[in-house]
Amino acid sequence: MNVEVCEYLICGDGYFDFAGRDGLLKTIKKIVRNGHWLPTTVGDAAYTTALKKLSALRNFAAHDSSVSKKRALEAIGQDRMSSSGAWLKKQNRFATICNSLKAMAQHIEAAAPH
């Protein structure tokens, strides 16, 4: 399959939209068989926190709704936050999330048959 076919299988005729980490796993599992290395890697508990936080913070930044803010606050375990960017800038939070996702990407790259 070429790249365009793969993109269509994953995204359909829209964009890559999923509801958080669990939605991402559900989308992946629609495409690959059970026991495949991709959902196993993405579902690894080592990456759960980073994926949940990043997804919730992205949705809050994109939608700026009361629901998205509530989900973001739940994901970060706090009661207040002015914006996703402001929260990420403090205490090395962005780097921590990025490092976790880079580790996941390296795990995926190592598992992928080339």
Side-chain angles (χ1 to χ4, degrees), residues 12-99:
D13 58 356
Y15 59 96
F16 193 44
D17 185 22
F18 55 90
R21 174 192 171 270
D22 295 338
L24 175 61
L25 282 169
K26 185 176 178 182
T27 299
I28 291 170
K29 289 177 181 180
K30 285 181 188 175
I31 301 162
V32 298
R33 70 190 183 285
N34 285 337
H36 189 274
W37 56 267
L38 183 57
T40 301
T41 302
V42 174
D44 189 320
Y47 313 120
T48 298
T49 300
L51 286 169
K52 284 186 175 186
K53 285 180 180 178
L54 186 63
S55 180
L57 291 166
R58 179 263 170 213
N59 287 340
F60 176 47
H63 302 292
D64 195 26
S65 68
S66 59
V67 172
S68 64
K69 184 170 187 173
K70 179 182 177 195
R71 299 283 184 265
L73 290 170
E74 289 169 357
I76 64 171
Q78 294 186 351
D79 296 325
R80 295 181 300 135
M81 169 179 50
S82 60
S83 71
S84 295
W87 186 85
L88 285 165
K89 286 193 308 186
K90 295 180 182 171
Q91 301 174 356
N92 210 30
R93 293 170 177 152
F94 183 70
T96 301
I97 289 173
C98 285
N99 289 337

Coordinates of all heavy atoms in Angstrom, one line a residue, residues 12-99:
G12 N -9.8 8.4 6.9 CA -11.0 8.6 6.2 C -10.9 9.8 5.3 O -9.8 10.2 4.8
D13 N -12.0 10.5 5.1 CA -12.0 11.7 4.3 C -11.9 13.0 5.1 O -12.2 14.0 4.7 CB -13.2 11.7 3.3 CG -14.5 11.7 4.1 OD1 -14.5 11.5 5.3 OD2 -15.6 11.8 3.4
G14 N -11.6 12.8 6.4 CA -11.5 13.9 7.3 C -10.0 14.1 7.8 O -9.1 13.9 7.0
Y15 N -9.9 14.4 9.0 CA -8.6 14.5 9.6 C -8.4 13.5 10.8 O -9.4 12.9 11.2 CB -8.3 15.9 10.1 CG -9.3 16.4 11.1 CD1 -9.0 16.4 12.5 CD2 -10.5 17.0 10.7 CE1 -9.9 16.8 13.4 CE2 -11.4 17.4 11.7 CZ -11.1 17.4 13.0 OH -12.0 17.8 13.9
F16 N -7.2 13.3 11.2 CA -7.0 12.3 12.3 C -7.6 12.8 13.6 O -6.9 13.6 14.3 CB -5.5 12.0 12.4 CG -5.2 10.8 13.2 CD1 -5.9 9.6 13.1 CD2 -4.2 10.8 14.1 CE1 -5.6 8.5 13.8 CE2 -3.8 9.7 14.8 CZ -4.5 8.5 14.7
D17 N -8.8 12.4 13.9 CA -9.5 12.9 15.1 C -9.8 11.7 16.0 O -10.4 10.7 15.5 CB -10.8 13.6 14.6 CG -11.6 14.2 15.8 OD1 -11.0 14.5 16.8 OD2 -12.8 14.4 15.6
F18 N -9.5 11.8 17.2 CA -9.7 10.8 18.2 C -10.0 11.4 19.5 O -9.6 12.5 19.8 CB -8.6 9.8 18.2 CG -7.2 10.4 18.5 CD1 -6.8 10.6 19.8 CD2 -6.4 10.9 17.5 CE1 -5.6 11.2 20.1 CE2 -5.2 11.4 17.8 CZ -4.8 11.6 19.1
A19 N -10.7 10.7 20.3 CA -11.1 11.2 21.7 C -10.1 10.7 22.7 O -10.3 9.6 23.3 CB -12.5 10.7 22.0
G20 N -9.0 11.4 22.8 CA -8.0 11.0 23.8 C -7.3 9.8 23.5 O -7.4 9.2 22.5
R21 N -6.5 9.3 24.5 CA -5.7 8.1 24.4 C -6.5 6.9 24.0 O -6.2 6.1 23.2 CB -4.9 7.9 25.7 CG -4.1 6.6 25.7 CD -3.6 6.3 27.1 NE -3.1 4.9 27.1 CZ -3.8 3.9 27.4 NH1 -5.0 3.9 27.7 NH2 -3.2 2.7 27.5
D22 N -7.6 6.7 24.7 CA -8.5 5.6 24.5 C -9.1 5.6 23.1 O -9.2 4.6 22.4 CB -9.6 5.5 25.6 CG -9.1 5.2 26.9 OD1 -7.9 4.7 27.1 OD2 -9.7 5.6 27.9
G23 N -9.4 6.8 22.6 CA -9.9 6.9 21.3 C -8.9 6.6 20.2 O -9.1 6.0 19.2
L24 N -7.6 7.0 20.5 CA -6.5 6.7 19.6 C -6.3 5.2 19.5 O -6.2 4.6 18.4 CB -5.2 7.3 20.2 CG -3.9 7.0 19.4 CD1 -4.0 7.4 17.9 CD2 -2.8 7.7 20.1
L25 N -6.4 4.5 20.7 CA -6.2 3.0 20.7 C -7.4 2.4 19.9 O -7.2 1.4 19.2 CB -6.1 2.5 22.1 CG -4.8 2.7 22.8 CD1 -4.9 2.4 24.2 CD2 -3.7 1.8 22.1
K26 N -8.6 2.9 20.1 CA -9.7 2.3 19.4 C -9.6 2.5 17.9 O -9.8 1.6 17.1 CB -11.0 3.1 19.9 CG -12.3 2.5 19.3 CD -13.5 3.2 19.9 CE -14.8 2.7 19.3 NZ -15.9 3.4 19.8
T27 N -9.1 3.7 17.4 CA -8.8 3.9 16.0 C -7.8 2.9 15.5 O -7.9 2.4 14.4 CB -8.4 5.4 15.8 OG1 -9.5 6.2 16.2 CG2 -8.1 5.6 14.3
I28 N -6.7 2.8 16.2 CA -5.6 1.9 15.8 C -6.1 0.4 15.7 O -5.8 -0.3 14.7 CB -4.4 2.0 16.8 CG1 -3.7 3.3 16.7 CG2 -3.4 0.8 16.5 CD1 -2.7 3.6 17.8
K29 N -6.9 0.0 16.7 CA -7.4 -1.4 16.7 C -8.4 -1.6 15.6 O -8.7 -2.8 15.2 CB -8.0 -1.7 18.0 CG -6.9 -1.8 19.1 CD -7.5 -2.1 20.5 CE -6.4 -2.2 21.5 NZ -6.9 -2.5 22.8
K30 N -9.0 -0.6 15.0 CA -9.9 -0.8 13.8 C -9.1 -1.2 12.6 O -9.6 -1.8 11.7 CB -10.6 0.5 13.5 CG -11.8 0.9 14.4 CD -12.4 2.1 13.9 CE -13.4 2.7 14.9 NZ -13.9 4.0 14.4
I31 N -7.8 -0.9 12.6 CA -7.0 -1.0 11.4 C -6.0 -2.3 11.5 O -5.8 -2.9 10.6 CB -6.1 0.3 11.2 CG1 -7.1 1.4 11.0 CG2 -5.2 0.1 10.0 CD1 -6.4 2.8 11.1
V32 N -5.5 -2.5 12.7 CA -4.6 -3.6 12.9 C -5.2 -4.7 13.8 O -6.1 -4.5 14.6 CB -3.2 -3.2 13.4 CG1 -2.6 -2.2 12.5 CG2 -3.4 -2.5 14.8
R33 N -4.7 -5.9 13.7 CA -5.2 -7.1 14.4 C -4.8 -7.0 15.9 O -3.9 -6.3 16.3 CB -4.7 -8.4 13.8 CG -3.2 -8.5 14.0 CD -2.6 -9.7 13.2 NE -1.2 -9.9 13.5 CZ -0.2 -9.1 13.1 NH1 -0.4 -8.1 12.4 NH2 1.1 -9.4 13.5
N34 N -5.6 -7.7 16.7 CA -5.2 -7.9 18.1 C -3.8 -8.5 18.3 O -3.4 -9.3 17.5 CB -6.2 -8.8 18.8 CG -7.6 -8.1 19.1 OD1 -7.7 -6.9 19.1 ND2 -8.6 -8.9 19.2
G35 N -3.1 -8.0 19.2 CA -1.8 -8.5 19.5 C -0.7 -7.8 18.6 O 0.5 -8.1 18.7
H36 N -1.1 -6.9 17.7 CA -0.1 -6.2 16.9 C 0.7 -5.3 17.7 O 0.3 -4.8 18.8 CB -0.9 -5.4 15.8 CG -0.1 -4.8 14.8 ND1 0.6 -3.6 14.9 CD2 0.2 -5.2 13.5 CE1 1.2 -3.3 13.8 NE2 1.1 -4.3 13.0
W37 N 2.0 -5.1 17.3 CA 2.9 -4.3 18.1 C 2.5 -2.8 18.3 O 2.8 -2.2 19.3 CB 4.3 -4.4 17.5 CG 4.4 -4.0 16.1 CD1 4.3 -4.8 15.0 CD2 4.5 -2.7 15.6 NE1 4.4 -4.1 13.8 CE2 4.5 -2.8 14.2 CE3 4.7 -1.4 16.1 CZ2 4.6 -1.7 13.3 CZ3 4.8 -0.3 15.3 CH2 4.8 -0.4 13.9
L38 N 1.8 -2.3 17.3 CA 1.4 -0.8 17.4 C 0.5 -0.5 18.6 O 0.8 0.3 19.4 CB 0.9 -0.3 16.1 CG 0.5 1.2 16.1 CD1 1.8 2.0 16.4 CD2 0.0 1.6 14.7
P39 N -0.7 -1.2 18.7 CA -1.6 -0.9 19.8 C -0.9 -1.3 21.2 O -1.2 -0.7 22.2 CB -2.9 -1.6 19.6 CG -2.5 -2.7 18.5 CD -1.4 -2.1 17.8
T40 N -0.1 -2.4 21.1 CA 0.6 -2.8 22.3 C 1.5 -1.7 22.8 O 1.6 -1.4 24.0 CB 1.4 -4.1 22.0 OG1 0.4 -5.1 21.6 CG2 2.1 -4.6 23.3
T41 N 2.2 -1.1 21.9 CA 3.2 0.0 22.3 C 2.4 1.2 22.7 O 2.7 1.8 23.8 CB 4.1 0.3 21.1 OG1 4.8 -0.9 20.7 CG2 5.1 1.4 21.4
V42 N 1.5 1.7 21.9 CA 0.7 2.9 22.3 C -0.1 2.7 23.6 O -0.2 3.6 24.3 CB -0.2 3.3 21.1 CG1 -1.1 4.5 21.5 CG2 0.6 3.7 19.9
G43 N -0.5 1.5 23.8 CA -1.3 1.2 25.0 C -0.4 0.9 26.3 O -1.0 0.8 27.4
D44 N 0.9 0.9 26.1 CA 1.8 0.7 27.2 C 1.6 1.7 28.3 O 1.5 2.9 28.0 CB 3.3 0.8 26.7 CG 4.3 0.3 27.7 OD1 4.1 0.7 28.9 OD2 5.2 -0.3 27.3
A45 N 1.5 1.3 29.5 CA 1.2 2.2 30.7 C 2.3 3.3 30.8 O 2.0 4.4 31.3 CB 1.2 1.4 31.9
A46 N 3.5 3.1 30.3 CA 4.6 4.1 30.4 C 4.2 5.3 29.6 O 4.7 6.4 29.9 CB 5.9 3.5 29.8
Y47 N 3.3 5.2 28.6 CA 3.0 6.4 27.8 C 1.6 7.0 28.1 O 1.2 8.0 27.5 CB 3.1 6.1 26.3 CG 4.4 5.3 26.0 CD1 4.4 4.1 25.5 CD2 5.6 5.9 26.3 CE1 5.6 3.4 25.2 CE2 6.8 5.2 26.1 CZ 6.8 4.0 25.5 OH 8.0 3.3 25.3
T48 N 0.9 6.3 29.0 CA -0.5 6.7 29.2 C -0.7 8.1 29.7 O -1.4 8.9 29.2 CB -1.1 5.8 30.3 OG1 -1.2 4.4 29.8 CG2 -2.6 6.2 30.6
T49 N 0.1 8.5 30.7 CA 0.0 9.9 31.2 C 0.3 10.9 30.2 O -0.5 11.9 30.1 CB 0.9 10.0 32.4 OG1 0.6 9.1 33.4 CG2 0.9 11.4 33.0
A50 N 1.4 10.8 29.5 CA 1.7 11.8 28.4 C 0.6 11.9 27.4 O 0.3 13.0 27.0 CB 3.1 11.4 27.8
L51 N 0.1 10.7 26.9 CA -0.9 10.8 25.9 C -2.2 11.4 26.4 O -2.8 12.2 25.7 CB -1.2 9.4 25.3 CG -0.1 8.8 24.4 CD1 -0.4 7.3 24.2 CD2 -0.1 9.5 23.1
K52 N -2.6 11.1 27.6 CA -3.8 11.7 28.1 C -3.7 13.2 28.3 O -4.6 13.9 28.0 CB -4.2 11.0 29.4 CG -4.8 9.6 29.2 CD -5.3 9.0 30.5 CE -6.0 7.7 30.3 NZ -6.6 7.1 31.5
K53 N -2.6 13.6 28.9 CA -2.4 15.0 29.1 C -2.3 15.8 27.8 O -3.0 16.8 27.7 CB -1.1 15.3 29.9 CG -1.2 14.9 31.4 CD 0.1 15.2 32.1 CE -0.1 14.8 33.6 NZ 1.2 15.0 34.4
L54 N -1.5 15.3 26.9 CA -1.3 16.0 25.6 C -2.6 16.1 24.9 O -3.0 17.2 24.4 CB -0.3 15.3 24.8 CG 0.1 16.1 23.5 CD1 0.7 17.5 23.8 CD2 1.0 15.3 22.6
S55 N -3.4 15.1 24.8 CA -4.7 15.1 24.1 C -5.7 16.1 24.8 O -6.3 16.9 24.1 CB -5.3 13.7 24.1 OG -6.5 13.7 23.5
A56 N -5.8 16.0 26.1 CA -6.7 16.9 26.8 C -6.3 18.4 26.7 O -7.1 19.2 26.4 CB -6.8 16.5 28.3
L57 N -5.0 18.6 26.8 CA -4.4 20.0 26.7 C -4.6 20.5 25.2 O -5.0 21.7 25.0 CB -3.0 20.1 27.1 CG -2.7 19.8 28.6 CD1 -1.3 19.6 28.9 CD2 -3.3 21.0 29.4
R58 N -4.4 19.7 24.3 CA -4.6 20.1 22.9 C -6.1 20.4 22.6 O -6.4 21.4 22.0 CB -4.2 18.9 22.0 CG -4.4 19.2 20.5 CD -5.7 18.6 20.0 NE -6.0 19.1 18.7 CZ -7.2 19.3 18.3 NH1 -8.3 19.1 19.0 NH2 -7.5 19.7 17.0
N59 N -7.0 19.6 23.1 CA -8.4 19.9 22.9 C -8.8 21.2 23.6 O -9.6 22.0 23.1 CB -9.3 18.7 23.4 CG -9.2 17.5 22.5 OD1 -8.8 17.7 21.3 ND2 -9.5 16.4 23.0
F60 N -8.3 21.4 24.8 CA -8.6 22.7 25.5 C -8.1 23.9 24.7 O -8.8 24.9 24.5 CB -8.0 22.7 26.9 CG -8.2 24.0 27.7 CD1 -9.5 24.6 27.7 CD2 -7.2 24.5 28.4 CE1 -9.6 25.8 28.4 CE2 -7.4 25.7 29.1 CZ -8.6 26.3 29.1
A61 N -6.8 23.7 24.2 CA -6.2 24.8 23.4 C -7.0 25.1 22.1 O -7.2 26.2 21.7 CB -4.8 24.5 23.1
A62 N -7.5 24.0 21.5 CA -8.2 24.1 20.2 C -9.6 24.6 20.4 O -10.2 25.4 19.5 CB -8.2 22.8 19.5
H63 N -10.3 24.1 21.4 CA -11.8 24.4 21.5 C -12.1 25.4 22.6 O -13.2 26.0 22.5 CB -12.5 23.1 21.8 CG -12.3 22.0 20.8 ND1 -12.8 22.2 19.5 CD2 -11.6 20.9 20.8 CE1 -12.4 21.1 18.8 NE2 -11.7 20.3 19.6
D64 N -11.3 25.6 23.6 CA -11.6 26.6 24.6 C -13.0 26.5 25.2 O -13.6 27.6 25.4 CB -11.2 28.0 24.1 CG -11.1 29.0 25.3 OD1 -10.8 28.6 26.4 OD2 -11.3 30.2 25.0
S65 N -13.5 25.3 25.4 CA -14.8 25.2 25.9 C -14.8 24.8 27.4 O -13.7 24.3 27.9 CB -15.6 24.1 25.1 OG -15.0 22.8 25.4
S66 N -15.9 24.9 28.1 CA -15.9 24.5 29.5 C -15.7 23.0 29.6 O -15.0 22.5 30.5 CB -17.2 24.9 30.1 OG -18.3 24.3 29.5
V67 N -16.2 22.2 28.7 CA -16.0 20.7 28.7 C -14.5 20.4 28.5 O -14.0 19.6 29.2 CB -16.9 20.0 27.7 CG1 -16.5 18.6 27.5 CG2 -18.3 20.2 28.0
S68 N -13.9 21.0 27.5 CA -12.5 20.7 27.2 C -11.6 21.2 28.4 O -10.6 20.5 28.7 CB -12.0 21.3 25.9 OG -12.1 22.7 25.9
K69 N -12.0 22.3 29.0 CA -11.2 22.7 30.1 C -11.3 21.8 31.3 O -10.3 21.4 32.0 CB -11.6 24.2 30.6 CG -10.7 24.7 31.7 CD -10.9 26.1 32.0 CE -9.9 26.7 33.0 NZ -10.0 28.1 33.2
K70 N -12.5 21.3 31.5 CA -12.8 20.3 32.6 C -11.9 19.1 32.4 O -11.3 18.6 33.3 CB -14.2 20.0 32.7 CG -14.6 19.0 33.8 CD -16.1 18.6 33.8 CE -16.3 17.6 34.8 NZ -17.6 17.0 34.7
R71 N -11.9 18.6 31.2 CA -11.2 17.4 30.8 C -9.7 17.6 31.0 O -8.9 16.7 31.5 CB -11.4 16.9 29.4 CG -12.8 16.5 29.1 CD -13.2 15.1 29.7 NE -14.6 14.8 29.3 CZ -15.6 15.0 30.1 NH1 -15.5 15.5 31.3 NH2 -16.8 14.6 29.7
A72 N -9.2 18.8 30.6 CA -7.8 19.1 30.8 C -7.4 19.2 32.2 O -6.4 18.7 32.6 CB -7.5 20.4 30.1
L73 N -8.2 19.8 33.0 CA -8.0 19.9 34.5 C -7.9 18.5 35.1 O -7.1 18.2 36.0 CB -9.0 20.8 35.2 CG -8.9 22.3 34.8 CD1 -10.1 23.0 35.4 CD2 -7.6 22.8 35.4
E74 N -8.8 17.6 34.7 CA -8.8 16.2 35.2 C -7.6 15.5 34.8 O -7.0 14.8 35.6 CB -10.0 15.5 34.6 CG -11.4 15.9 35.2 CD -12.6 15.3 34.4 OE1 -12.4 14.6 33.4 OE2 -13.7 15.6 34.9
A75 N -7.1 15.7 33.5 CA -5.9 15.1 33.0 C -4.6 15.5 33.8 O -3.8 14.7 34.0 CB -5.7 15.3 31.5
I76 N -4.6 16.8 34.2 CA -3.4 17.3 34.9 C -3.5 17.2 36.4 O -2.6 17.4 37.1 CB -3.0 18.7 34.4 CG1 -4.1 19.7 34.8 CG2 -2.7 18.7 32.9 CD1 -3.7 21.2 34.6
G77 N -4.7 16.9 36.9 CA -4.9 16.7 38.3 C -4.9 18.0 39.1 O -4.4 18.1 40.2
Q78 N -5.4 19.1 38.5 CA -5.4 20.4 39.1 C -6.8 21.0 39.1 O -7.7 20.5 38.3 CB -4.4 21.3 38.5 CG -3.0 20.8 38.8 CD -1.9 21.8 38.3 OE1 -2.2 22.8 37.6 NE2 -0.7 21.6 38.6
D79 N -7.0 22.0 39.9 CA -8.3 22.7 39.9 C -8.4 24.0 39.0 O -9.5 24.4 38.7 CB -8.6 23.1 41.3 CG -8.8 21.9 42.3 OD1 -9.3 20.9 41.8 OD2 -8.4 22.0 43.4
R80 N -7.2 24.5 38.7 CA -7.2 25.8 38.0 C -6.1 25.7 36.9 O -5.0 25.1 37.1 CB -6.9 27.0 38.9 CG -8.0 27.3 39.9 CD -7.7 28.5 40.7 NE -6.5 28.3 41.5 CZ -5.6 29.2 41.6 NH1 -5.7 30.4 41.0 NH2 -4.5 29.0 42.3
M81 N -6.3 26.4 35.8 CA -5.3 26.6 34.7 C -5.8 27.7 33.8 O -7.0 27.7 33.5 CB -5.2 25.3 34.0 CG -4.4 25.3 32.7 SD -4.3 23.8 31.8 CE -5.9 23.2 31.7
S82 N -4.9 28.6 33.4 CA -5.4 29.7 32.6 C -5.4 29.2 31.1 O -6.3 29.5 30.4 CB -4.5 30.9 32.7 OG -3.1 30.5 32.4
S83 N -4.4 28.5 30.7 CA -4.3 28.0 29.3 C -3.4 26.8 29.3 O -2.6 26.5 30.2 CB -3.8 29.0 28.4 OG -2.4 29.3 28.6
S84 N -3.5 26.0 28.2 CA -2.7 24.8 28.1 C -1.2 25.2 27.9 O -0.3 24.6 28.6 CB -3.1 24.0 26.8 OG -4.4 23.5 26.9
G85 N -0.9 26.2 27.2 CA 0.4 26.7 27.0 C 1.1 27.2 28.2 O 2.2 26.9 28.5
A86 N 0.3 27.9 29.0 CA 0.8 28.4 30.3 C 1.2 27.3 31.2 O 2.2 27.3 31.9 CB -0.2 29.4 31.0
W87 N 0.3 26.3 31.3 CA 0.6 25.1 32.1 C 1.8 24.3 31.7 O 2.7 23.9 32.5 CB -0.6 24.2 32.2 CG -0.5 23.1 33.2 CD1 -0.7 23.1 34.5 CD2 0.0 21.8 32.9 NE1 -0.4 21.9 35.1 CE2 0.0 21.1 34.1 CE3 0.4 21.1 31.7 CZ2 0.5 19.7 34.2 CZ3 0.9 19.8 31.8 CH2 0.9 19.1 33.1
L88 N 1.9 24.1 30.4 CA 3.1 23.4 29.8 C 4.4 24.1 30.0 O 5.4 23.4 30.1 CB 2.8 23.1 28.3 CG 1.8 22.0 28.0 CD1 1.4 22.1 26.5 CD2 2.4 20.7 28.4
K89 N 4.4 25.4 30.0 CA 5.7 26.2 30.1 C 6.3 26.0 31.5 O 7.6 26.2 31.6 CB 5.4 27.7 29.9 CG 5.2 28.0 28.4 CD 5.3 29.5 28.1 CE 4.4 30.3 29.0 NZ 4.4 31.7 28.6
K90 N 5.6 25.7 32.5 CA 6.1 25.6 33.9 C 6.7 24.3 34.2 O 6.2 23.2 33.8 CB 5.1 26.0 34.9 CG 4.6 27.5 34.7 CD 3.6 27.8 35.7 CE 3.1 29.3 35.5 NZ 2.0 29.6 36.3
Q91 N 7.7 24.2 35.1 CA 8.2 23.0 35.7 C 8.6 21.9 34.7 O 8.4 20.8 35.0 CB 7.2 22.5 36.7 CG 6.9 23.5 37.8 CD 5.8 23.0 38.7 OE1 5.2 21.9 38.5 NE2 5.5 23.8 39.8
N92 N 9.1 22.3 33.6 CA 9.6 21.4 32.6 C 8.5 20.4 32.1 O 8.8 19.3 31.7 CB 10.8 20.6 33.2 CG 11.8 20.2 32.2 OD1 12.0 20.8 31.1 ND2 12.5 19.1 32.5
R93 N 7.3 20.8 32.2 CA 6.2 19.9 31.8 C 6.1 19.5 30.4 O 5.9 18.3 30.0 CB 4.8 20.5 32.2 CG 4.6 20.6 33.7 CD 3.4 21.5 34.0 NE 3.2 21.6 35.5 CZ 2.6 22.6 36.0 NH1 2.2 23.6 35.3 NH2 2.5 22.6 37.3
F94 N 6.4 20.5 29.5 CA 6.4 20.2 28.1 C 7.5 19.2 27.7 O 7.2 18.2 27.0 CB 6.5 21.5 27.2 CG 6.4 21.2 25.8 CD1 5.2 20.9 25.2 CD2 7.5 21.4 25.0 CE1 5.1 20.7 23.8 CE2 7.4 21.2 23.6 CZ 6.2 20.8 23.0
A95 N 8.7 19.4 28.2 CA 9.8 18.5 27.9 C 9.5 17.1 28.4 O 9.9 16.2 27.8 CB 11.1 19.1 28.5
T96 N 8.9 17.0 29.6 CA 8.6 15.7 30.2 C 7.6 14.9 29.3 O 7.8 13.8 29.0 CB 8.0 15.9 31.6 OG1 8.9 16.6 32.4 CG2 7.6 14.5 32.2
I97 N 6.6 15.6 28.8 CA 5.6 15.0 27.9 C 6.3 14.6 26.6 O 6.1 13.5 26.1 CB 4.4 15.9 27.6 CG1 3.5 15.9 28.9 CG2 3.6 15.4 26.5 CD1 2.4 16.9 28.9
C98 N 7.1 15.5 26.0 CA 7.8 15.2 24.8 C 8.8 14.1 24.9 O 8.8 13.2 24.0 CB 8.6 16.5 24.3 SG 7.5 17.8 23.6
N99 N 9.5 14.0 26.0 CA 10.4 12.9 26.2 C 9.7 11.6 26.2 O 10.2 10.6 25.7 CB 11.2 13.1 27.5 CG 12.2 14.2 27.3 OD1 12.6 14.6 26.2 ND2 12.7 14.8 28.4

